[in-house]
Amino acid sequence: MEMSGVGPLTAALRMQNVVQSSSRWAQGQQYRPWTLRSLKLQPLSPVPSDIEISRAQTPKPVDQLAQEIGLLQEETEAYGRTKAKVRLSLLDRLREQPDGKYVLVAGITPTPLGEGKSTVVIGLVQALSAHLKLNSFACLRQPSQGPTFGVKGQRGQISTHISMLEISMLINESFNLHLTGDIHAITAANNLVAAAIDARMLHEATQKDKALYSRLVPSVNGVRRFSPIQISRLRVFLGMFLDFCNLKCDVMYELVFYIYIFGVGFFRLVVVDTNDRFLRKITVGQASTEKGHVRETQFDIAVASEIMAILALADGLGDMKTRLGRMVVGSSRSGQPVTAEDLGVSGALAVLMKDAIKPTLMQTLEGSPVFVHAGPFANIAHGNSSVLADKLALKLVGEDGFVVTEAGFGADIGMEKFFNIKCRASGLRPNVVVLVATVRALKMHGGGPNVSAGSPLPREYIDEVRHWRESTLHGLKQSSTTICVVRGNAEIDLVCQMAKESGASDAVPCHHWARGGRGSVELAQAVKQAGSQPSHFQFLYSQETPIVEKIRMIAQKVYGADDIELSPEAQAKIDYYNQQGYGKLPICMAKTHLSLSHLPEKKGAPTGFTLPIRDIRASIGAGFIYPLVGTMSTMPGLPTRPCFYDIDLDPVTEEITGLF
Amino acid sequence: MEMSGVGPLTAALRMQNVVQSSSRWAQGQQYRPWTLRSLKLQPLSPVPSDIEISRAQTPKPVDQLAQEIGLLQEETEAYGRTKAKVRLSLLDRLREQPDGKYVLVAGITPTPLGEGKSTVVIGLVQALSAHLKLNSFACLRQPSQGPTFGVKGQRGQISTHISMLEISMLINESFNLHLTGDIHAITAANNLVAAAIDARMLHEATQKDKALYSRLVPSVNGVRRFSPIQISRLRVFLGMFLDFCNLKCDVMYELVFYIYIFGVGFFRLVVVDTNDRFLRKITVGQASTEKGHVRETQFDIAVASEIMAILALADGLGDMKTRLGRMVVGSSRSGQPVTAEDLGVSGALAVLMKDAIKPTLMQTLEGSPVFVHAGPFANIAHGNSSVLADKLALKLVGEDGFVVTEAGFGADIGMEKFFNIKCRASGLRPNVVVLVATVRALKMHGGGPNVSAGSPLPREYIDEVRHWRESTLHGLKQSSTTICVVRGNAEIDLVCQMAKESGASDAVPCHHWARGGRGSVELAQAVKQAGSQPSHFQFLYSQETPIVEKIRMIAQKVYGADDIELSPEAQAKIDYYNQQGYGKLPICMAKTHLSLSHLPEKKGAPTGFTLPIRDIRASIGAGFIYPLVGTMSTMPGLPTRPCFYDIDLDPVTEEITGLF
């Protein structure tokens, strides 16, 4: 420290100032207790439409909400007045802060209309915070825009798409629209990789090796310089301590371009966030400029992109970048995997995704905080919101607080993947599991007539709920503390009783839809009670278990299958994945959500079936292997009369109609 | 007014309070003088890389900037710390405020590298505000993301894409990335229309009329209800005062579905904001679910969407909605145009675009305000930033201030369209035109070797500038006050002298790149001087002029052609457009920007050529007809070594490298 010309007292005072100001700074960095102001709800009867409920409430400015829950000013980035992205630096600041309780909301096998798990999440958080005065946070998936304009109720079918109701519980129409642009960023990143693959294949197919090399590693004033991305690949290929200066040019270019050659580009799935059925199967490259290099491919809806799964599983910017780089986008001439990093595109992907990685802060109708972040498909991916949103929320609520997060589809899919994929990636463990059951779904699975999206609900269901015991508790055995929440009317007491008999630690009815947080107080108390019990969570399988065994364990223990049956194609893929060192990845089953089996029409808890594994794919960037059980549509369509017929904007008041 | 139980004095005091507080409110609503704080630049020699310049500067928080330029708090919506959307309500508040001076920056026919018009815009605004202390505002187009990851210099080729340099002058890397998501909103809106068209065609082709009608106008409890969108179409079709109750059902459904039948869907251009050459020509609908209804189509880059042109020309939310609704997306069985409104999708489009219509406020390196808004292609569209950004800025700078906006490509394209399309739509008139000429471009057009993007610049140019007199001043005659700005080294004085001889009111050299605003002070003074002169602006043609005549006038007066030559296809289209009442729309020539003629290799000011009109298309929503002169690529490609090789993100510092 420079102190010349300063007396000892002055110096001491200065020192004291420094100490005081750093202690002030350190205080500012500490965990801040919440001062959350709840917004009053006036529950109405009959229940008005979702949008009317939403409009009747004035949200708190998001910077006020941020302050109430202890965020520093520099930790948020506002997007308009009711949304803000939260910076990941928060995790550093509150490193020493113990996590709150971690609550998972899952559902029984749903009807095609969805059973309202997200509304339970929000009702529960409102009850915990506005009524029990406990810090609590909801973590939700971002809905895809495609189905917003497509079929009402279809969101339940498309894993990522949250059912209609919970929207009524967020004061923000843009929840359903662009939000803070994360899905658009994923689309941009995904499509850059797709374009890069085909352009690369074209250039390789139409240029001599030497010309290709000269373009890839151009000579500037007679000196060829590799880009850092190229050097990193060469290091892997040639060993860590390669001395580039001693390589002869012609050796280098053989190596450089060789690793870029593709066999079958199994990645090229361009995505759009639109229900565009005509893009399910297409032929590209038909313009004369592409010199006959046509090929068949397909578009997926944006949320089906591997990049969405990566966003949901990454635990920081560095981790996301690594995962983006290791996405396998094709194979080389010699059959080796080629990654996004090899394509030279990983840095650009990280740049495109650098804001998407920050969770978006919003609020419920009663002013409780919500993170909306990521929304991967629940069949070809793991169907859970982001690890990072959960981690930030767990720090923010503090030791006595609650974070309520949600798993897509039924417990057999979303919850199983939450346990074995998401918790494995995050290192977090759930304290409480809430299982949502509607009387409607119980009836249908007990033998009622089929329910399909877009058609009116059949009036009669046969009153059978006994099947439920077996059908929905398979997955629960992994977690010790489980509460069942039941929605419905007549048979609600019977169902609660049966749930307790079946091993649930508690079972309570829920009326949050009509009464807001107040309708979930009983649930909140049960969750608080359950959260004080020890959790005995354990994984269903160890990572070291061979791929086939892992699949079999899920099929038998979660679905109730007798065994699995592998196609020769699936077996060949498993051999390849083992050879490439992917054998330790967790399994992400791509299965229908409408049955515990692979057959959507089998309701209840079917037995005596063998689960066929048609093919096995790999999302190496996201970090899982996904066996295909039956066919999964990754591009929904528009019906004859899509939702958009009723959607309108008043240009004067800027009010939106028909969006809910 | 309710005053029972209140004495007269109290009442009078209350009244006074009301008057005072409304007068305070009214004062708050008045125009606020600027208090702009300029940021100091430390010009360095040699000029550092753009990103280093940008990083060396700390931007003002955007809410501070907003306050400095007299925006009310409720008129902005922050997007992070350095960007904000500005609400259109500002136009109402400052309705009575006189506009500032309106300055257009255009360029001579460029080289493929672009000639840095945008940097002139920013340099000029910095000089006006930081050095001459005059309120001033820059209005720029939003760059497309595609070329950011593609070819350096390609942005010059793709009309919408601003050259590299001006990025150095904005303190915000996201200028080049997602910004506030406007282009993503356009993509979402465009692709919703595209999906709706094909889904509709499929449903019409595979359903009986009666079934189709039942789905389009479903019966709820025995009553069929038309959506407001359907009613509005039926009104047009059946006359304004149609009595729906008296129509028999079978009459109605014939009408309702009949108008939806398509012949050739000439809209279905899905867009992505990615350079994906393999999507230039594709076949869609090949999945079995589409039942053999395959067809050939193409993807364009997002900024080529008609919706981008609409965004740039709309003068409010209502006007944008109307334009979106009247986009022609196909034709009916009887050959009548079918619009987006007929498809039922116009309300949803307005909802998707409701935030995109608000211009984005940013700042230059020296802290001057910038609007970034819209960026339509300069060939198939009009290549100018938005009418709304210009209007908001003209109110904000006040009577003595300056708004500097920019037209894409050379004066023959961007400036001509600025005058005859943008000014016609906005009602605004330019006070000063600044024409940017680089010695490099002058040399090339004078006979130097070809310049191509991605290759090093050839060293020798033959020193010929005489051609310039004719080649660049065609368009200028429309505006009375013109200043030429010259960039380059050796021959700069000669060029300035020739410019004045050629009719420019002034000609000055410019050094803003190396010296920031200080390097443009001479230009700023010239602009200030020119702005005090009366403007004698007039349109090149009247709207009433027949289509063919309008095209001929542009070809002869602006390009110097002898005449035009219409293909039979073009002639047939003109007849159809006249029949549909589109004859009064202005003309938007789709021509190469590399020559005044239709042949890119013809440099200088060619004469003795006939301009061939291959085909004529119409953007009815945007409101212009565009004749095709030669082939225009609307989907750029990736080269062998795309820019993304050098783009990277440091996950710890979050610093981006290689983006500039």
Side-chain angles (χ1 to χ4, degrees), chain B residues 209-372:
Chain B
D209 290 357
K210 190 157 187 173
L212 188 66
Y213 174 69
S214 290
R215 291 195 176 96
L216 284 175
V217 193
S219 165
V220 179
N221 300 328
V223 179
R224 292 198 188 279
R225 279 187 49 236
F226 293 89
S227 76
I229 283 175
Q230 289 172 321
I231 291 174
S232 113
R233 173 64 195 181
L234 280 176
R235 284 240 167 83
V236 172
F237 199 76
L238 299 174
M240 273 312 275
F241 302 106
L242 178 70
D243 177 2
F244 284 95
C245 305
N246 291 336
L247 275 178
K248 274 192 297 182
C249 244
D250 53 297
V251 178
M252 283 197 285
Y253 79 71
E254 276 225 32
L255 293 172
V256 172
F257 90 80
Y258 179 70
I259 59 166
Y260 287 102
I261 298 294
F262 295 89
V264 186
F266 55 77
F267 182 92
R268 201 224 216 275
L269 301 172
V270 188
V271 298
V272 286
D273 196 15
T274 312
N275 282 13
D276 194 343
R277 53 190 297 163
F278 274 73
L279 301 180
R280 283 172 185 162
K281 190 167 165 193
I282 63 172
T283 301
V284 299
Q286 294 177 315
S288 60
T289 47
E290 279 57 70
K291 302 167 188 166
H293 291 268
V294 299
R295 71 196 187 87
E296 250 181 29
T297 182
Q298 69 183 76
F299 270 63
D300 279 355
I301 190 146
V303 291
S305 168
E306 181 174 354
I307 296 178
M308 174 59 100
I310 289 175
L311 176 67
L313 287 170
D315 79 351
L317 197 52
D319 182 44
M320 180 176 73
K321 192 180 161 192
T322 307
R323 288 173 187 262
L324 289 169
R326 77 173 185 228
M327 285 192 295
V328 174
V329 300
S331 59
S332 73
R333 272 184 203 162
S334 61
Q336 294 303 301
V338 175
T339 65
E341 173 95 28
D342 298 338
L343 261 186
V345 78
S346 50
L349 298 183
V351 167
L352 283 167
M353 292 290 294
K354 77 181 174 54
D355 291 315
I357 200 172
K358 302 167 199 159
T360 299
L361 177 66
M362 295 173 76
Q363 63 190 292
T364 70
L365 272 190
E366 296 184 43
S368 306
V370 179
F371 273 138
V372 180

Side-chain angles (χ1 to χ4, degrees), chain B residues 538-557:
Chain B
Q538 56 188 17
F539 293 122
L540 177 66
Y541 53 82
S542 135
Q543 282 189 281
E544 311 299 319
T545 312
I547 294 176
V548 180
E549 252 337 283
K550 288 187 234 188
I551 300 173
R552 186 173 285 123
M553 285 174 83
I554 296 171
Q556 292 177 336
K557 297 202 179 167

Side-chain angles (χ1 to χ4, degrees), chain A residues 76 78 80-81 277 283 290, chain B residues 76 78 80-81 277 283 286 290:
Chain A
T76 60
R81 293 167 188 284
R277 53 190 297 162
T283 301
E290 279 56 69
Chain B
T76 60
R81 295 169 186 282
R277 53 190 297 163
T283 301
Q286 294 177 315
E290 279 57 70

Side-chain angles (χ1 to χ4, degrees), chain B residues 512-523:
Chain B
H512 53 279
W513 189 42
R515 295 190 221 151
R518 192 166 295 282
S520 296
V521 169
E522 199 177 341
L523 171 61

Side-chain angles (χ1 to χ4, degrees), chain B residues 309-445:
Chain B
I310 289 175
L311 176 67
L313 287 170
D315 79 351
L317 197 52
D319 182 44
M320 180 176 73
K321 192 180 161 192
T322 307
R323 288 173 187 262
L324 289 169
R326 77 173 185 228
M327 285 192 295
V328 174
V329 300
S331 59
S332 73
R333 272 184 203 162
S334 61
Q336 294 303 301
V338 175
T339 65
E341 173 95 28
D342 298 338
L343 261 186
V345 78
S346 50
L349 298 183
V351 167
L352 283 167
M353 292 290 294
K354 77 181 174 54
D355 291 315
I357 200 172
K358 302 167 199 159
T360 299
L361 177 66
M362 295 173 76
Q363 63 190 292
T364 70
L365 272 190
E366 296 184 43
S368 306
V370 179
F371 273 138
V372 180
H373 202 216
F377 251 58
N379 39 34
I380 62 159
H382 65 293
N384 281 263
S385 65
S386 84
V387 163
L388 277 167
D390 291 357
K391 286 194 166 177
L392 290 170
L394 284 164
K395 290 296 178 204
L396 281 170
V397 295
E399 200 167 0
D400 302 322
F402 287 82
V403 171
V404 185
T405 192
E406 178 204 6
F409 283 169
D412 56 327
I413 301 185
M415 187 170 78
E416 187 274 308
K417 293 175 182 179
F418 173 84
F419 291 152
N420 295 302
I421 299 175
K422 186 176 176 184
C423 286
R424 209 185 291 266
S426 68
L428 299 172
R429 303 290 176 259
N431 299 93
V432 183
V433 172
V434 173
L435 192 75
V436 179
T438 60
V439 171
R440 178 175 71 191
L442 291 170
K443 281 179 176 174
M444 193 184 85
H445 285 284

